Amino acid sequence: MNNRTSIPPQLTLMGSKTLLRTYLPEDYAGLGDVLNDQQTMEALRPYFQQTHWTPELVKQRYGKFISEQYSGRGLGFTVITRSDNRVVGDCGFKNISLPEKQAEFGLILHASVWGTGVAKK
């Protein structure tokens, strides 16, 4: 029996300041801007070896996450500000194991929104 569940191909969650939406190709440019922001990535240096994200590398990164979503191993979201509809990061779960009720969670936010409350309820 398969321990994974099928995750809907498109899922949207609404917060007071942000919208979380499963990754779409039209988000890649904004996600690339986040990944290429020097201050943002300086804080994440221990987790990333990549120092410059080309459009192709961004497409590969999020294409992999989308594939993991369809297989039930992950669930990722683009973080979008509701005030100006701007892509400001990504978040999600990987290595999901429903039987063990375990997963890894990650969050990347563009430095421009640090301290603004976008990661609060």
Side-chain angles (χ1 to χ4, degrees), residues 83-97:
S83 61
D84 59 1
N85 203 38
R86 182 170 61 110
V87 172
V88 294
D90 77 59
C91 67
F93 300 90
K94 67 179 187 174
N95 299 321
I96 295 172
S97 172

Side-chain angles (χ1 to χ4, degrees), residues 29-59:
L31 290 165
D33 291 343
V34 172
L35 293 172
N36 281 311
D37 178 72
Q38 187 175 8
Q39 187 177 4
T40 302
M41 294 314 288
E42 182 63 32
L44 296 169
R45 185 173 305 282
Y47 307 102
F48 287 90
Q49 293 182 8
Q50 193 70 36
T51 57
H52 177 72
W53 292 84
T54 64
E56 184 59 34
L57 288 172
V58 172
K59 181 180 176 182

Side-chain angles (χ1 to χ4, degrees), residues 5 13 28 38 44 48 52 55 62 66 85 97 103 107 113 115-117:
T5 61
L13 304 170
Y28 293 172
Q38 187 175 8
L44 296 169
F48 287 90
H52 177 72
Y62 293 102
I66 290 169
N85 203 38
S97 172
L107 172 66
V113 297
T116 64

